[in-house]
Amino acid sequence: MKNQTLHRGKVVKSHMASATLLTILKLLITFIFAAWISLWLLKPTQVWTRKWKHAEQSANNTIFGYYGLNFAVYTFPIIAIAIIGLLFLDLKAAYQRNRSSRSSSKIFSNPLVVNSLIGILSSIEILVVFLVIVFLAWTYYARISNDFKKLMQDKSLKLNLWQLKYLRIATRFGLLAEACLALLLLPILRGLSLFRIFGIQFEASVRYHTWIGTAMILFATIHGISTWFVWGVSHHIQHEIWKWQKTGRIYLAGEIALVVGLVIFVSSLPQIRRRKFEIFYYTHHLYIVFLVFFLFHAGDKHFYMVFPGVFLFSLDKLLRIIQSSPKTCMVSARIFPCDAVELILPKDPRLKYNPTSVIYLKIPNISHLQWHSFSIISSSKGDENIMSVMIKCQGWWTNTLYDLIQTELNKGADKRKGIPVAIEGPYGPAALDFLKYDSVLMVAGGSGITPFLSILAEIDSTTNRNKFPSRIELVHVIKRAQDICLLHSIAHLLVNQTSEKFHLKLKLFVTQETQPGMGITELLNEFVKVKTLQLDSVSSNYYAAYGPESPVWMAAITGCCSITFFVFLICFNHIIIPSEKHSKLSKEKTPSWIVDLVLIAAFVLALSCSTLIAIVLRWRRLKKGVRPTSQTEIKPLDLSSAETKNALEEHEVHFGGRPNFKDILGKFKNETSGSNVGVLVCGPESMKESVAAACQQESECSKLSVKTTKPCFTFHSLNFTL
């Protein structure tokens, strides 16, 4: 008894220490981020300009130079947030694994605006967008008002007053594009993601990248076209458009960057991205050309302001390449009659991930360059040696994969060979706050069921009843009856309603077929049509998937890369570019593009050193790793027993119509006894908007002034594709 009391005391103290450390890290992240934002707010003011020029002049007389000052002030704060954030996420994951508290209703996570044009926006998202717009307006006003007070004629152009003013207007639009570029790459980070600190996953933050990219291209286009217009009306366009001057703005580099940016933007439009994914994928890699010529155009001093995103994205990309380089192989695969396949992939037993996690797959037999993201449908607790993904075949890549598996299935067992696969990830939430409700209503459209399959597998494999909801209702909307095969991995949960862990009810809506009298039992007979392909994955050339490096190691690599870059930058600048105290004349004659190349060289060398560290870490893990193992076949369901038939009677099947989400939420509110209901939605945007609108109408928690004990709906949107 005494030992138990001591153990509980130690556990309580450990939890308190972890909670205190998490709070300290939160405050540190908040302070650094607030300081970085303050710099951007002060930067357009005359006071900051005077202070900054004085600081740069003072820094020039030190070993760090102005480049060291710019890096430390404008670039390093975001890198520091990424490093601290990784430590925060690692500690948070360990802390919440030992907790079983339920989530309270979060008013600000519910949708405030539901619109078919702009989608679903919460109050927090609207507030952030508003603040960004205010910041851009403030930056533009402060810059342009100062410019108009101190108009100075360009000796070479000799412009009229209105032409000179319009040129200043065009120039300041370029600075707005620069501010957007500083944020552009942050939402698409995966391993080094800053948004995970706020509980936003990569697949959800991609839309912020789209918004910022659209704004950046708009401002950059206005900047470029307006500048060309002024050159044209002043009859200087032929002279200025090809200018690659030694110092100052390099106009030709800016024009190349603008054209490349427009090509990337046009190929990213939904009409092209959805129908011609290959065009979108390959043209997006022109971002390297865009960033290099932006550096030449704006100069190194401006580039330090956008460098945090470039730094983290480049390092993140290299770490992902190293992580996905060891070859692995499919353990087995299943072909479903609904034109879908399930891939069973080997993983190291030490690799743990949370439900709704996403992995990226590359299959060299199909393409050596293309990566595609898929939701994991298995649980790392229930399946220690494998992980599974469900893929609906709807495009060239997925249809080719279907044909590849079908070809192997038609071969004899002795002629089958392993199908190599490169795996990147998994990437998922650090905590399961979105599952800590009394009851959960899951709404899935088609292959949007995949994140929910992993959630149900996780709940089924856990031993802690208090960690997850006890009542779950799954609404699955499909086009054809045979699409029920997507539920193959949770079929045993549908027929087993005696589980003490949770109660699951299925409401199935088949929208494009009418088959009166057919129930869930008849639909489940579709599972007998599923074909399984066993592959030879046991080879010395293949490794099980290990996942990314731990957050602590990624934080260490990021810190090492930033320090290495700083050292190389200082050394190269002192060796290649003469210091002001030795030769001011020679420094003035140094072309600006030489300074830009020095920055690129220091960055490439820093990335190379960090890559070597990551390769050594990966090699050590591979030496201690395991090889792929074969998988046991799933036993077929027995639907003939009376107990199974009674369990299946609770599930509902509806043909020939779409669900009325308002009625479904109303009934669920009356049936549930809990006061805290999570609504998770994954599927087409139109479905998400319908459910979000129903949540707005039904949930009484959206009214801040109303206190009620009735069930409260909290909306969560999940993504299964990018």
Side-chain angles (χ1 to χ4, degrees):
M1 190 72 178
K2 185 177 180 181
N3 292 334
Q4 290 181 352
T5 304
L6 290 173
H7 176 71
R8 289 176 183 173
K10 290 180 180 179
V11 171
V12 171
K13 288 182 180 179
S14 176
H15 286 180
M16 291 179 62
S18 298
T20 303
L21 186 55
L22 282 172
T23 302
I24 293 173
L25 293 177
K26 270 185 185 178
L27 292 175
L28 188 58
I29 291 172
T30 303
F31 174 76
I32 296 174
F33 184 71
W36 187 71
I37 293 296
S38 300
L39 291 177
W40 280 91
L41 292 173
L42 292 172
K43 189 170 172 288
T45 64
Q46 289 295 310
V47 174
W48 176 262
T49 301
R50 290 193 299 268
K51 296 288 186 181
W52 187 249
K53 285 183 177 179
H54 177 72
E56 282 190 328
Q57 290 173 358
S58 300
N60 277 332
N61 298 321
T62 67
I63 190 174
F64 300 106
Y66 78 88
Y67 33 82
L69 179 65
N70 277 270
F71 176 79
V73 173
Y74 287 114
T75 301
F76 188 71
I78 295 298
I79 299 174
I81 291 175
I83 295 172
I84 300 170
L86 288 168
L87 301 176
F88 171 81
L89 291 173
D90 185 68
L91 182 62
K92 182 180 179 182
Y95 176 67
Q96 295 212 349
R97 275 196 296 267
N98 301 319
R99 298 183 65 206
S100 59
S101 60
R102 294 287 176 86
S103 173
S104 59
S105 177
K106 297 180 180 180
I107 297 173
F108 293 111
S109 66
N110 277 331
L112 185 64
V113 174
V114 180
N115 186 277
S116 58
L117 180 62
I118 62 176
I120 304 169
L121 296 177
S122 67
S123 54
I124 293 296
E125 289 176 321
I126 294 174
L127 176 62
V128 172
V129 170
F130 173 75
L131 292 177
V132 170
I133 293 174
V134 169
F135 160 71
L136 293 175
W138 152 251
T139 300
Y140 189 79
Y141 168 77
R143 291 289 189 185
I144 205 68
S145 59
N146 290 331
D147 287 345
F148 283 178
K149 291 177 182 177
K150 300 178 181 180
L151 283 175
M152 296 182 64
Q153 183 62 262
D154 191 313
K155 296 180 181 180
S156 61
L157 293 180
K158 297 180 181 179
L159 303 177
N160 297 331
L161 180 61
W162 75 268
Q163 294 172 348
L164 187 60
K165 287 186 176 181
Y166 191 61
L167 184 61
R168 292 290 179 269
I169 291 174
T171 302
R172 294 315 176 190
F173 269 106
L175 289 180
L176 294 184
E178 178 186 291
C180 292
L181 182 57
L183 303 172
L184 180 64
L185 297 176
L186 298 180
I188 55 173
L189 297 173
R190 298 179 195 173
L192 303 178
S193 176
L194 299 178
F195 282 79
R196 290 180 61 206
I197 302 172
F198 308 103
I200 302 173
Q201 297 308 304
F202 165 73
E203 61 273 14
S205 64
V206 167
R207 68 170 180 169
Y208 307 141
H209 171 76
T210 304
W211 296 350
I212 297 170
T214 302
M216 183 195 73
I217 289 298
L218 174 64
F219 295 142
T221 303
I222 296 175
H223 167 66
I225 291 178
S226 298
T227 303
W228 291 339
F229 174 75
V230 173
W231 289 345
V233 297
S234 60
H235 307 291
H236 292 92
I237 190 167
Q238 292 183 351
H239 177 261
E240 298 293 331
I241 201 170
W242 303 109
K243 185 180 288 187
W244 188 291
Q245 60 269 40
K246 193 174 181 180
T247 58
R249 297 287 178 269
I250 300 177
Y251 299 140
L252 182 58
E255 294 152 12
I256 295 173
L258 177 58
V259 171
V260 172
L262 287 171
V263 170
I264 295 174
F265 172 75
V266 172
S267 66
S268 303
L269 295 174
Q271 296 82 352
I272 297 177
R273 179 171 55 85
R274 293 171 183 169
R275 298 178 184 177
K276 299 290 183 180
F277 179 82
E278 290 76 19
I279 296 176
F280 156 77
Y281 181 82
Y282 293 124
T283 54
H284 234 65
H285 285 77
L286 292 173
Y287 68 85
I288 300 174
V289 179
F290 173 82
L291 291 172
V292 169
F293 281 98
F294 170 81
L295 170 60
F296 287 143
H297 173 64
D300 67 318
K301 289 187 179 182
H302 283 266
F303 195 74
Y304 287 116
M305 301 165 193
V306 306
F307 193 45
V310 178
F311 181 96
L312 293 174
F313 178 80
S314 302
L315 184 58
D316 185 70
K317 184 80 171 177
L318 282 174
L319 292 177
R320 291 191 279 116
I321 291 173
I322 295 169
Q323 182 244 314
S324 61
S325 57
K327 291 182 180 179
T328 188
C329 181
M330 295 182 197
V331 173
S332 60
R334 295 189 181 96
I335 293 182
F336 299 95
C338 58
D339 295 330
V341 296
E342 179 184 353
L343 306 183
I344 294 88
L345 307 166
K347 81 171 186 69
D348 190 285
R350 294 167 295 180
L351 173 59
K352 303 299 180 182
Y353 52 84
N354 282 325
T356 72
S357 292
V358 172
I359 61 171
Y360 283 76
L361 296 182
K362 180 180 72 173
I363 300 179
N365 290 359
I366 300 177
S367 172
H368 288 278
L369 297 175
Q370 288 193 29
W371 291 85
H372 294 265
S373 62
F374 302 101
S375 296
I376 301 176
I377 65 171
S378 56
S379 167
S380 59
K381 291 182 180 178
D383 300 309
E384 290 190 347
N385 297 311
I386 61 168
M387 58 183 174
S388 305
V389 294
M390 181 80 72
I391 301 173
K392 197 76 167 67
C393 302
Q394 296 176 328
W396 171 81
W397 192 91
T398 52
N399 285 327
T400 306
L401 173 62
Y402 186 94
D403 295 338
L404 178 64
I405 296 174
Q406 185 68 58
T407 301
E408 291 293 324
L409 188 63
N410 294 334
K411 295 179 181 179
D414 57 333
K415 295 182 179 179
R416 293 173 185 168
K417 297 181 179 179
I419 301 177
V421 181
I423 301 175
E424 180 196 317
Y427 304 109
L432 300 177
D433 292 333
F434 63 96
L435 282 180
K436 294 179 180 176
Y437 295 97
D438 300 316
S439 303
V440 165
L441 176 65
M442 300 179 180
V443 182
S447 51
I449 190 67
T450 51
F452 300 138
L453 298 180
S454 66
I455 291 174
L456 294 173
E458 182 81 4
I459 297 175
D460 184 47
S461 60
T462 190
T463 57
N464 189 347
R465 289 183 55 191
N466 296 324
K467 192 174 182 180
F468 295 110
S470 58
R471 180 182 179 86
I472 298 175
E473 185 169 298
L474 176 61
V475 180
H476 191 198
V477 185
I478 55 179
K479 294 180 179 180
R480 301 169 299 170
Q482 64 181 6
D483 289 342
I484 196 176
C485 290
L486 297 173
L487 302 177
H488 182 268
S489 64
I490 61 165
H492 65 287
L493 298 178
L494 298 176
V495 301
N496 182 18
Q497 291 299 319
T498 60
S499 173
E500 296 180 356
K501 296 178 182 177
F502 67 101
H503 180 271
L504 173 64
K505 180 178 180 180
L506 172 67
K507 289 186 178 181
L508 190 70
F509 291 83
V510 185
T511 59
Q512 296 185 1
E513 291 182 359
T514 304
Q515 299 185 26
M518 180 176 286
I520 188 69
T521 305
E522 291 78 12
L523 288 176
L524 289 179
N525 287 325
E526 289 286 330
F527 290 168
V528 301
K529 301 178 183 178
V530 177
K531 300 177 182 179
T532 301
L533 170 67
Q534 294 291 343
L535 293 165
D536 179 18
S537 60
V538 182
S539 171
S540 59
N541 296 324
Y542 298 133
Y543 293 89
Y546 297 93
E549 296 295 339
S550 68
V552 175
W553 272 114
M554 284 198 288
I557 293 173
T558 305
C560 178
C561 186
S562 61
I563 294 172
T564 308
F565 167 77
F566 194 49
V567 171
F568 278 126
L569 185 66
I570 293 173
C571 293
F572 287 168
N573 272 284
H574 281 278
I575 294 172
I576 297 174
I577 303 173
S579 62
E580 186 175 355
K581 59 184 180 181
H582 288 110
S583 178
K584 185 174 181 180
L585 184 62
S586 62
K587 185 176 179 71
E588 292 175 351
K589 289 185 177 180
T590 303
S592 59
W593 58 269
I594 294 293
V595 181
D596 300 337
L597 287 177
V598 166
L599 190 151
I600 294 175
F603 185 44
V604 170
L605 286 173
L607 288 178
S608 301
C609 295
S610 302
T611 301
L612 289 176
I613 297 174
I615 290 174
V616 171
L617 290 174
R618 178 60 50 173
W619 177 76
R620 289 181 60 187
R621 292 186 68 181
L622 291 178
K623 283 186 66 178
K624 300 178 182 178
V626 297
R627 303 291 181 178
T629 57
S630 59
Q631 183 214 7
T632 57
E633 181 63 28
I634 296 178
K635 295 180 180 179
L637 292 174
D638 181 14
L639 302 177
S640 59
S641 66
E643 185 179 351
T644 299
K645 290 181 179 179
N646 291 334
L648 292 176
E649 286 180 357
E650 185 177 0
H651 304 304
E652 301 177 12
V653 180
H654 305 271
F655 284 93
R658 299 181 182 275
N660 186 323
F661 293 115
K662 184 178 180 180
D663 290 344
I664 291 174
L665 265 65
K667 291 180 180 178
F668 193 71
K669 178 194 291 186
N670 296 329
E671 293 173 359
T672 182
S673 58
S675 60
N676 197 5
V677 180
V679 180
L680 315 182
V681 188
C682 186
E685 289 301 318
S686 57
M687 171 182 286
K688 292 181 180 180
E689 292 164 6
S690 299
V691 177
C695 279
Q696 280 185 318
Q697 296 174 10
E698 289 292 327
S699 180
E700 297 182 22
C701 295
S702 60
K703 301 176 182 179
L704 297 175
S705 59
V706 176
K707 293 184 179 180
T708 178
T709 59
K710 293 183 179 180
C712 160
F713 291 113
T714 304
F715 179 87
H716 294 274
S717 175
L718 304 180
N719 290 341
F720 67 102
T721 184
L722 299 179

